[in-house]
């Protein structure tokens, strides 16, 4: 069996990282897997992506609003002429937006006799043009893309995978996907690479990581507010990647960073199954996050971290106090690592996907 993974990006963003990790997990478990990504023609974009942005811009009344928050999958690059595609038995789609794979191309894959598996990394598959339900608006492009997806889903057999149980539930609540086969399989992680590297000395350093620290959806404003509430013995040192220290490109340096702090805090307002929480937990670093998306599936409240009430900075501050308390920290660190070994190891996730490919 040969598997071809398709992802817009190779290593930029959480979905691309997850796709890459699955590629390695499959190879390490005996699957002949390859990966293709979008070819950029101009800088960091492709002509197909530019064309799609132009269509969105026109139908938005020549406004840039939502121009990068929506995708209509009208244009795409042709991967069917590649050696990897011709030899593949399974086409495994991940995040393939921004001019990489069009909806009509997916229909072609199935017409060619390929088994299509589609891992969802956000809610785009469950709606029309938008990626996040919190941003969704009833526009012409939203309705038009919704109808095109409805036609594709009705005529073709696609096995959908959600990275979290939360996203699976969201999909099955959508009129677009309520009757479709959707399974929940988490992303894998290399637990030999992401691991505790030293005996942690209890301190008060907390880490915040996001691809864009200024993105309001990542909730940095709630962390800043929570930190202001921590005074005296509860005061903490915050390290925000991209604000307090430069962004890190090397995985080994990220592992060292997770191991150098005492807690990881991700106050995102919308998340699926964040790689950063998985990485921190694998390194034995307790995590704090809001009760949203797949975060409460990863963090077991007060067992390996703390799940704070949504958008409540005061409870976020309480969570930071809890995980840093000397009576809790060592226990939380140990159980965080155990949770990752049990649920997210490369071997366990690869086996689940192999079963899907063979079914």
């Amino acid at each position: 069996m040969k598997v071809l993974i398709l992802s817009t990006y190779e290593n930029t963003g959480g979905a691309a990282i997850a796709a890459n990790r699955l590629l390695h997990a499959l190879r390490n478990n005996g699957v002949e897997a390859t990966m293709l990504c979008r070819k950029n023609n101009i800088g960091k974009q492709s002509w197909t992506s530019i064309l799609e942005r132009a269509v969105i811009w026109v139908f938005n009344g020549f406004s840039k609003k939502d121009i990068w928050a929506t995708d209509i999958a009208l244009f795409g690059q042709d991967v069917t002429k590649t050696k990897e595609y011709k030899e593949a038995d399974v086409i495994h789609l991940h995040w393939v937006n921004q001019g990489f794979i069009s909806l009509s191309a997916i229909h072609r894959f199935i017409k060619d006799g390929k088994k299509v598996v589609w891992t969802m990394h956000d809610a785009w598959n469950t709606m029309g043009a938008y990626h996040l339900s919190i941003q969704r608006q009833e526009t012409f492009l939203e309705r038009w893309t919704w109808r095109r997806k409805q036609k594709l889903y009705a005529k073709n057999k696609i096995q959908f995978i959600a990275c979290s149980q939360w996203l699976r539930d969201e999909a099955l609540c959508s009129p677009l996907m309520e009757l479709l086969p959707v399974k929940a399989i988490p992303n894998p992680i290399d637990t030999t690479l992401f691991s505790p590297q030293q005996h942690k000395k209890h301190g008060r350093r907390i880490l915040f990581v996001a691809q864009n620290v200024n993105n309001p959806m990542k909730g940095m404003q709630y962390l800043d507010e929570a930190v202001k509430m921590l005074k005296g013995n509860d005061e903490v040192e915050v390290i925000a990647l991209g604000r307090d220290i430069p962004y890190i490109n090397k995985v080994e340096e990220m592992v060292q960073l997770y191991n150098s702090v005492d807690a990881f805090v991700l106050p995102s307002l919308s998340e699926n199954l964040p790689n950063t929480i998985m990485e921190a937990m694998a390194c034995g670093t307790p995590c704090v996050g809001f009760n949203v998306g797949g975060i409460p599936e990863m963090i077991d409240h007060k067992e390996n971290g703390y799940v704070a009430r949504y958008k409540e900075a005061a409870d976020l501050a309480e969570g930071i106090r809890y995980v840093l308390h000397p009576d809790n920290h060592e226990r939380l660190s140990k159980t965080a690592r155990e949770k990752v070994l049990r649920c997210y190891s490369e071997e366990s996730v690869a086996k689940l996907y192999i079963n899907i490919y063979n079914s």
Side-chain angles (χ1 to χ4, degrees), residues 108-125:
R108 166 74 184 274
F109 299 162
I110 297 168
K111 190 177 178 182
D112 286 346
K114 308 292 186 182
K115 182 180 180 71
V116 173
V117 177
W118 198 341
T119 295
M120 303 181 291
H121 293 276
D122 57 30
W124 184 77
N125 295 81

Side-chain angles (χ1 to χ4, degrees), residues 87-100:
E87 293 181 350
D89 304 297
V90 178
I91 306 298
H92 192 154
L93 305 168
H94 283 260
W95 201 91
V96 291
N97 298 114
Q98 294 188 8
F100 183 36

Side-chain angles (χ1 to χ4, degrees), residues 1-2 73 111 214 217 273 279 343:
M1 173 180 34
K2 294 185 178 181
K111 190 177 178 182
N214 297 315
M217 294 302 294
L273 197 81
E279 291 166 359
C343 300

Side-chain angles (χ1 to χ4, degrees), residues 4-213:
L4 173 60
I5 291 176
L6 298 179
S7 169
T8 297
Y9 300 110
E10 184 177 3
N11 48 30
T12 301
I17 291 171
N20 243 308
R21 288 177 180 172
L22 178 62
L23 174 68
H24 295 138
L26 292 172
R27 286 175 173 175
N28 291 338
N29 284 271
V31 177
E32 192 173 342
T34 55
M35 182 169 166
L36 290 179
C37 300
R38 187 187 68 184
K39 292 183 179 178
N40 296 334
N41 308 114
I42 359 174
K44 294 183 178 181
Q45 292 300 324
S46 65
W47 288 114
T48 50
S49 178
I50 298 299
L51 283 171
E52 186 156 300
R53 292 319 111 189
V55 171
I56 295 170
W57 178 65
V58 170
F59 280 94
N60 277 353
F62 305 102
S63 167
K64 291 182 179 179
K65 183 179 182 295
D66 290 341
I67 199 167
W68 292 106
T70 53
D71 276 288
I72 55 177
L74 182 61
F75 302 103
Q77 297 180 345
D78 186 6
V79 300
T80 62
K81 293 181 173 62
T82 65
K83 176 176 178 288
E84 292 85 353
Y85 175 84
K86 291 175 181 177
E87 293 181 350
D89 304 297
V90 178
I91 306 298
H92 192 154
L93 305 168
H94 283 260
W95 201 91
V96 291
N97 298 114
Q98 294 188 8
F100 183 36
I101 302 296
S102 66
L103 294 180
S104 59
I106 298 169
H107 175 73
R108 166 74 184 274
F109 299 162
I110 297 168
K111 190 177 178 182
D112 286 346
K114 308 292 186 182
K115 182 180 180 71
V116 173
V117 177
W118 198 341
T119 295
M120 303 181 291
H121 293 276
D122 57 30
W124 184 77
N125 295 81
T126 73
M127 300 183 289
Y130 284 88
H131 288 270
L132 301 176
S133 55
I134 196 172
Q135 297 175 321
R136 186 186 185 192
Q137 299 178 44
E138 281 298 326
T139 63
F140 168 77
L141 286 180
E142 169 69 9
R143 293 189 296 271
W144 179 60
T145 308
W146 196 96
R147 289 193 294 269
R148 289 167 56 232
K149 287 181 184 177
Q150 184 183 42
K151 185 178 179 180
L152 173 69
Y153 295 171
K155 288 187 174 183
N156 298 286
K157 289 183 179 180
I158 302 173
Q159 176 62 65
F160 290 96
I161 306 294
C163 294
S164 65
Q165 187 62 48
W166 164 79
L167 186 56
R168 178 182 182 272
D169 293 342
E170 288 283 300
L172 295 179
C173 287
S174 164
L176 191 59
M177 301 187 70
E178 58 186 354
L179 300 178
L180 299 177
V182 184
K183 295 182 181 292
I185 299 178
N187 300 323
I189 189 169
D190 184 345
T191 53
T192 58
L193 177 60
F194 287 91
S195 61
Q197 293 187 337
Q198 59 199 31
H199 178 69
K200 291 181 180 292
K201 294 180 180 179
H202 180 68
R204 309 202 64 78
R205 302 178 77 201
I206 64 174
L207 176 66
F208 170 87
V209 176
Q211 187 178 358
N212 180 1
V213 72

Side-chain angles (χ1 to χ4, degrees), residues 146-338:
W146 196 96
R147 289 193 294 269
R148 289 167 56 232
K149 287 181 184 177
Q150 184 183 42
K151 185 178 179 180
L152 173 69
Y153 295 171
K155 288 187 174 183
N156 298 286
K157 289 183 179 180
I158 302 173
Q159 176 62 65
F160 290 96
I161 306 294
C163 294
S164 65
Q165 187 62 48
W166 164 79
L167 186 56
R168 178 182 182 272
D169 293 342
E170 288 283 300
L172 295 179
C173 287
S174 164
L176 191 59
M177 301 187 70
E178 58 186 354
L179 300 178
L180 299 177
V182 184
K183 295 182 181 292
I185 299 178
N187 300 323
I189 189 169
D190 184 345
T191 53
T192 58
L193 177 60
F194 287 91
S195 61
Q197 293 187 337
Q198 59 199 31
H199 178 69
K200 291 181 180 292
K201 294 180 180 179
H202 180 68
R204 309 202 64 78
R205 302 178 77 201
I206 64 174
L207 176 66
F208 170 87
V209 176
Q211 187 178 358
N212 180 1
V213 72
N214 297 315
N215 182 351
M217 294 302 294
K218 292 301 179 181
M220 186 69 196
Q221 62 274 27
Y222 291 96
L223 178 56
D224 286 338
E225 188 179 345
V227 168
K228 290 177 183 177
M229 299 176 184
L230 299 170
K231 301 295 182 182
N233 293 333
D234 292 326
E235 197 166 349
V236 298
E237 176 191 355
V238 178
I239 301 172
L241 205 62
R243 184 188 72 172
D244 303 317
I245 61 174
Y247 281 107
I248 293 173
N249 294 321
K250 294 183 178 179
V251 176
E252 293 78 9
E253 292 180 4
M254 276 304 304
V255 173
Q256 291 174 7
L257 183 58
Y258 285 124
N259 275 279
S260 71
V261 298
D262 306 286
F264 178 77
V265 183
L266 187 66
S268 293
L269 306 186
S270 178
E271 281 290 354
N272 184 10
L273 197 81
N275 290 325
T276 49
I277 287 182
M278 190 183 298
E279 291 166 359
M281 291 176 64
C283 293
T285 303
C287 299
V288 181
F290 282 138
N291 186 9
V292 65
I295 289 178
E297 296 175 38
M298 308 178 80
I299 303 174
D300 300 311
H301 187 54
K302 293 187 176 182
E303 291 184 21
N304 53 42
Y306 190 99
V307 181
R309 292 186 293 273
Y310 189 55
K311 290 186 177 182
E312 289 194 18
D315 200 32
L316 195 68
E318 179 58 32
I320 295 171
R321 284 194 195 96
Y322 183 85
V323 300
L324 292 179
H325 196 283
D327 292 343
N328 303 325
H329 191 267
E330 186 175 348
R331 170 180 60 85
L332 296 173
S333 176
K334 181 182 177 182
T335 53
R337 170 74 177 171
E338 290 173 349

